[in-house]
Amino acid sequence: MANEEMTFLEHLEELRWHIVRSFISVAVVAIVAFVNKEILFDVIIFGPSSPDFFTNSILCSLATKLDMPALCINQDKILFQNILMAGQFTTHLKIAFIAGLIVAFPYIFWEFWRFIKPALYQDEIKHSRGAIFFTSILFSIGVLFAYYIICPLSIHFLANYHVSEKVENILNLGSYISTVSSIVLAGGIIFELPILIFFLAKVGLISTTSLKKYRRHAIVASLLLAAIITPPDVISQILVCVPLIFLYEGGIIIAANIERKRRKTQGY
């Protein structure tokens, strides 16, 4: 174990510089995103609401082949409005920062890893190799899944839901962007579940037995979480719930593998 001689204040100083470098990485990406606002908003943010968006186009093609018009989503023009004087500018800043956070996530995790690595034993470092790679991959998959699958379905449901034909939906810009950004971030974080299970299993806080015991509870929790981060339509909730259950089952396999290696090391 390294750096045992460092004082508490020296650890704080080390942590401060890791945080500073992480913040700089977010700021750099955010500035690039802020400057390229046409791509940021017209292509990325408003993309899922556009008829020519990848998911919308695929579903409309399937709707034609299968003669199921309900599959063709987000074909009508959605109107957005801004009612605050500085609303568009503050929204621009907010989304640029979120873009910086998402793109810089692998580097942020790497900085976090560099901070805790000296406190680990060589055996722990050996078993944790690839953590940055797999964490980044899972986060990216979660973000892409949420963006290409959940966002279009959520937008279609919410933008076309009416309590009465007398009420026209003119979406608030801030509300739309908050919905899209929260779904995307939630997707990235949720897909980190196997990594969380890996570390908890490594330190002995959970086991294969406990994970299997609470499998039903996990399914219920997945349904509740899906209901929170998606609109109240069954299809979107299922699309979120099913990957969560698969991730949980993958976590059981990971925990079992860790326990098997631990038994082998201990000689029984």
Side-chain angles (χ1 to χ4, degrees):
M1 188 182 298
N3 289 352
E4 290 181 328
E5 70 281 358
M6 290 180 65
T7 65
F8 177 71
L9 291 178
E10 287 174 333
H11 277 294
L12 285 180
E13 179 67 14
E14 184 73 14
L15 176 61
R16 184 174 74 89
W17 280 108
H18 286 292
I19 293 175
V20 168
R21 286 192 291 268
S22 297
F23 180 80
I24 290 174
S25 68
V26 173
V28 169
V29 178
I31 291 172
V32 174
F34 186 88
V35 172
N36 295 278
K37 67 176 182 179
E38 290 80 11
I39 297 176
L40 181 62
F41 285 91
D42 295 339
V43 177
I44 299 176
I45 299 299
F46 296 128
S49 66
S50 174
D52 57 357
F53 186 66
F54 176 78
T55 306
N56 299 333
S57 299
I58 293 295
L59 287 176
C60 278
S61 297
L62 286 175
T64 302
K65 293 178 181 179
L66 301 176
D67 193 24
M68 297 176 63
L71 287 177
C72 195
I73 62 173
N74 295 316
Q75 296 303 298
D76 298 326
K77 182 179 179 181
I78 299 177
L79 300 176
F80 298 97
Q81 67 172 350
N82 171 61
I83 59 175
L84 299 175
M85 178 69 73
Q88 295 198 49
F89 179 71
T90 55
T91 297
H92 192 178
L93 289 174
K94 174 184 175 182
I95 293 304
F97 174 77
I98 293 176
L101 192 63
I102 292 174
V103 175
F105 175 81
Y107 179 80
I108 295 172
F109 186 80
W110 181 67
E111 285 288 350
F112 172 74
W113 170 250
R114 287 180 60 201
F115 176 71
I116 65 171
K117 184 178 179 180
L120 301 177
Y121 292 101
Q122 287 300 318
D123 184 60
E124 293 173 329
I125 294 175
K126 178 182 176 181
H127 287 92
S128 300
R129 286 175 182 171
I132 297 174
F133 173 77
F134 287 110
T135 300
S136 302
I137 289 296
L138 286 172
F139 182 81
S140 300
I141 292 174
V143 166
L144 292 174
F145 176 80
Y147 180 71
Y148 281 101
I149 303 298
I150 306 302
C151 281
L153 293 171
S154 301
I155 292 169
H156 177 73
F157 176 82
L158 295 174
N160 293 282
Y161 185 84
H162 292 86
V163 294
S164 172
E165 292 298 325
K166 296 180 180 180
V167 182
E168 181 182 10
N169 281 337
I170 302 177
L171 305 185
N172 179 271
L173 177 64
S175 176
Y176 171 86
I177 289 177
S178 294
T179 300
V180 172
S181 59
S182 62
I183 290 175
V184 169
L185 283 174
I189 293 171
I190 287 171
F191 270 65
E192 297 296 337
L193 180 60
I195 301 296
L196 176 62
I197 292 177
F198 172 82
F199 283 108
L200 291 177
K202 286 293 292 182
V203 299
L205 291 178
I206 60 174
S207 64
T208 306
T209 302
S210 63
L211 288 171
K212 290 181 178 178
K213 178 181 178 181
Y214 292 104
R215 180 183 274 126
R216 293 181 180 179
H217 299 79
I219 293 174
V220 173
S222 299
L223 288 169
L224 291 174
L225 184 59
I228 292 172
I229 67 174
T230 62
D233 69 291
V234 178
I235 295 178
S236 296
Q237 292 175 8
I238 291 175
L239 285 173
V240 172
C241 184
V242 170
L244 280 173
I245 294 173
F246 275 106
L247 290 170
Y248 187 84
E249 293 297 325
I252 294 177
I253 296 173
I254 291 171
N257 186 49
I258 291 172
E259 291 173 2
R260 184 169 58 253
K261 289 182 178 179
R262 185 179 295 144
R263 288 193 297 268
K264 184 178 180 180
T265 302
Q266 295 174 349
Y268 64 89

